[in-house]
Amino acid sequence: MIDFRSDTVTRPSEKMRRIMAQAEVGDDVYGDDPTVNELEAWSAHQHGFASALFTSSGTQANLLGILSHCDRGDEYLCGQDAHNYKYEAGGAAVLGSVQPQPIENLSDGSIDLVKLEKAVKPDDNHFAKTRLLSLENTIGGKVLPMAYLTQARAFVDRHGLAMHLDGARVYNAAVALGVDVKQIAQYFDSMTVCLSKGLGAPVGSLLFGSSAFITRARRLRKMVGGGMRQAGILAAAGKLALEENVSRLAEDHANARYLAEQLNTLPGVSCDVASVQTNIVFLNVDQTVAIQALASKLKAQGILISPGYQGMRLVTHLDVNRASIDRLISEWRACL
């Protein structure tokens, strides 16, 4: 199957599978898994943090990050479209009694700092305590500008807040900007990185922060059932993903722009090519197109999409190449 639904669908390469099979393992809850320990120490250094924690998913990493910054009854600021607000089942509120305060995202994915300023609560018994600003990069495929990160850092410092980055696709941002990931990470007190999206590992995310922060997050990971045993099999894949699959993200970005251009040749489809910054393409499909039937026909031809009309999303990744895109366009046109 050619799968355009998300970059979470990538499959481990043969080399990755061999490394996983050969990984030295131990019990990670006891701290005895040498491959996990190596990944955490090495990746913390690579991203400019004191410590790292290997987690089962980006959702878990974000949850642990928010709960490690905030106590019950505290509040975190975030974007209205933030993944950790909109798509993570309300975990911080449900499990940590931490109140999210969402602010609308601007068209470039950033959050207006003036509106954030107004959302910071005064020191008053009537209000939750504002503790944290959480940003996402990339968000909806958009890259937050470095200048904005500088301004956001000044904002949180002025208000005595911490700043967390949902960096599930931060390497897409770094590649698009042409910078080392440390240049983005330097602005944040904590950060997550997803290993199982465009980087191609089968499972896992990393949470970065200070040593004390990660110690607290490790305890919370155990509390929510995230303690893993012989997890080195997965950590080995994650380390290889970081070592070998970062630079090739530029290929995904180029393929996404090509995909956007080709989509515009289809009847009833419109796509803003200029808005494609990384590996996510949004398109509008005319209501006259029977999109559910189209998706079923494409599936029968070995192509998967998530059907929708306004703001429908297609994603490029390491298992999608130019030939895959050409086949999608050809089959889509034939189905019409």
Side-chain angles (χ1 to χ4, degrees):
M1 300 293 287
I2 303 172
D3 200 335
F4 289 91
R5 293 174 300 171
S6 177
D7 46 8
T8 60
V9 302
T10 57
R11 298 182 180 185
S13 65
E14 288 302 317
K15 179 179 180 180
M16 188 174 283
R17 291 172 186 267
R18 288 196 302 271
I19 287 175
M20 292 170 69
Q22 296 164 5
E24 188 178 357
V25 298
D27 190 318
D28 181 47
V29 173
Y30 285 115
D32 292 342
D33 192 301
T35 308
V36 172
N37 293 343
E38 180 187 6
L39 172 64
E40 290 178 343
W42 174 82
S43 64
H45 175 74
Q46 291 294 112
H47 295 82
F49 287 91
S51 295
L53 180 65
F54 183 51
T55 70
S56 63
S57 69
T59 295
Q60 186 180 85
N62 274 328
L63 174 66
L64 300 180
I66 293 169
L67 299 191
S68 295
H69 283 297
C70 301
D71 293 321
R72 298 175 71 85
D74 287 346
E75 170 187 84
Y76 76 100
L77 309 176
C78 62
Q80 187 78 42
D81 295 325
H83 196 277
N84 59 32
Y85 167 68
K86 197 172 182 179
Y87 298 111
E88 296 182 7
V94 173
L95 301 176
S97 295
V98 179
Q99 171 178 290
Q101 174 60 73
I103 309 294
E104 63 180 321
N105 291 94
L106 300 176
S107 59
D108 66 354
S110 66
I111 310 169
D112 189 322
L113 294 176
V114 173
K115 292 183 178 181
L116 283 173
E117 189 98 32
K118 293 177 180 177
V120 175
K121 305 299 184 291
D123 185 8
D124 184 301
N125 290 340
H126 292 86
F127 302 109
K129 296 177 182 177
T130 308
R131 296 290 194 192
L132 176 70
L133 170 62
S134 177
L135 299 178
E136 188 173 336
N137 197 15
T138 63
I139 178 165
K142 302 288 182 63
V143 179
L144 296 182
M146 297 297 287
Y148 177 76
L149 299 185
T150 302
Q151 294 165 3
R153 184 71 246 179
F155 167 81
V156 297
D157 288 344
R158 188 165 65 251
H159 289 282
L161 308 179
M163 191 157 72
H164 172 74
L165 177 65
D166 177 353
R169 294 185 176 91
V170 69
Y171 274 99
N172 291 93
V175 168
L177 291 169
V179 302
D180 187 280
V181 71
K182 282 184 180 179
Q183 292 180 251
I184 296 175
Q186 66 179 321
Y187 296 100
F188 295 90
D189 299 286
S190 61
M191 181 174 84
T192 65
V193 171
C194 186
L195 303 170
S196 62
K197 289 188 170 71
L199 296 179
V203 174
S205 284
L206 290 162
L207 174 65
F208 300 104
S210 68
S211 295
F213 175 86
I214 293 299
T215 296
R216 178 170 179 176
R218 192 177 297 276
R219 178 179 179 83
L220 289 167
R221 187 187 70 170
K222 178 65 176 176
M223 190 183 298
V224 298
M228 296 181 283
R229 302 301 178 178
Q230 289 71 40
I233 293 171
L234 301 175
K239 188 167 187 289
L240 181 68
L242 287 170
E243 288 174 330
E244 297 195 357
N245 286 347
V246 171
S247 61
R248 63 150 310 282
L249 292 175
E251 181 182 342
D252 293 343
H253 299 175
N255 283 340
R257 289 188 291 272
Y258 177 74
L259 171 60
E261 292 167 355
Q262 297 307 306
L263 285 166
N264 278 330
T265 69
L266 294 171
V269 175
S270 62
C271 181
D272 181 6
V273 178
S275 70
V276 179
Q277 297 179 16
T278 55
N279 67 322
I280 298 177
V281 177
F282 288 97
L283 56 144
N284 292 326
V285 182
D286 192 278
Q287 294 283 344
T288 60
V289 177
I291 192 66
Q292 295 291 340
L294 172 66
S296 296
K297 291 179 180 179
L298 288 172
K299 184 176 180 179
Q301 297 303 315
I303 301 171
L304 295 175
I305 63 170
S306 295
Y309 285 99
Q310 301 302 310
M312 178 176 160
R313 188 183 83 162
L314 300 178
V315 185
T316 58
H317 49 78
L318 60 82
D319 292 333
V320 167
N321 55 27
R322 291 289 175 100
S324 306
I325 294 169
D326 289 340
R327 185 174 165 205
L328 168 68
I329 300 301
S330 175
E331 294 291 348
W332 189 313
R333 184 174 282 110
C335 288
L336 292 176

